[in-house]
Amino acid sequence: MPAPAERPPEPAAQDTIMEATARLEAAREKLAREMRTLVSDAEEMLEAARKQGGEHLGAARDKLERSVRVAKSELAGIEHEIVENARRAARQTDEYVHDHPWTAVGVGAGVGLLLGLLIGRR
């Protein structure tokens, strides 16, 4: 009896993974912007401190504190999203392995073989 043909992952699972990847990339870009802003504000504060202008220093410090709060908030949001994406991926992987156990065993054996070959070459 021929082995059943392997089916690719369900389209819904592929869409979910692609959507999660897109959201993660957008969050990463947003975090990078916030970090650039934070660095810029820190540079302004250092410049104000160098000039010893008390008025300018206070304003720069306030701006830097706001940037730090925003960056911390962004980091917390990204951390939450990463954790949720990891949980979703683990659930989808678990479902796939339960639906296709022999495929999962074959993939695991293949990966193990490749890793063994690579480690053995060193």
Side-chain angles (χ1 to χ4, degrees):
M1 184 161 127
E6 257 186 64
R7 293 181 296 167
E10 306 258 339
Q14 287 177 340
D15 290 344
T16 303
I17 292 169
M18 290 185 331
E19 289 169 1
T21 302
R23 283 193 310 272
L24 186 60
E25 181 62 24
R28 186 194 65 75
E29 289 174 8
K30 188 174 182 181
L31 178 61
R33 281 193 307 272
E34 291 299 331
M35 288 299 157
R36 283 192 295 274
T37 300
L38 179 62
V39 168
S40 173
D41 292 347
E43 288 172 344
E44 285 179 27
M45 186 172 177
L46 290 172
E47 181 64 24
R50 188 181 64 79
K51 291 180 180 177
Q52 292 296 323
E55 181 180 310
H56 294 292
L57 184 59
R61 188 186 75 235
D62 291 343
K63 187 175 180 182
L64 180 61
E65 287 173 351
R66 279 193 305 273
S67 294
V68 168
R69 280 194 303 273
V70 168
K72 283 182 179 180
S73 174
E74 290 297 321
L75 283 172
I78 289 171
E79 178 184 14
H80 177 72
E81 186 170 343
I82 288 171
V83 168
E84 288 302 313
N85 287 341
R87 286 182 181 153
R88 187 177 310 117
R91 246 188 334 270
Q92 289 174 345
T93 301
D94 185 55
E95 290 172 7
Y96 184 82
V97 168
H98 279 86
D99 291 345
H100 311 294
W102 291 111
T103 302
V105 168
V107 168
V111 169
L113 177 66
L114 287 174
L115 286 175
L117 290 172
L118 290 173
I119 292 171
R121 286 186 165 195
R122 291 190 171 226

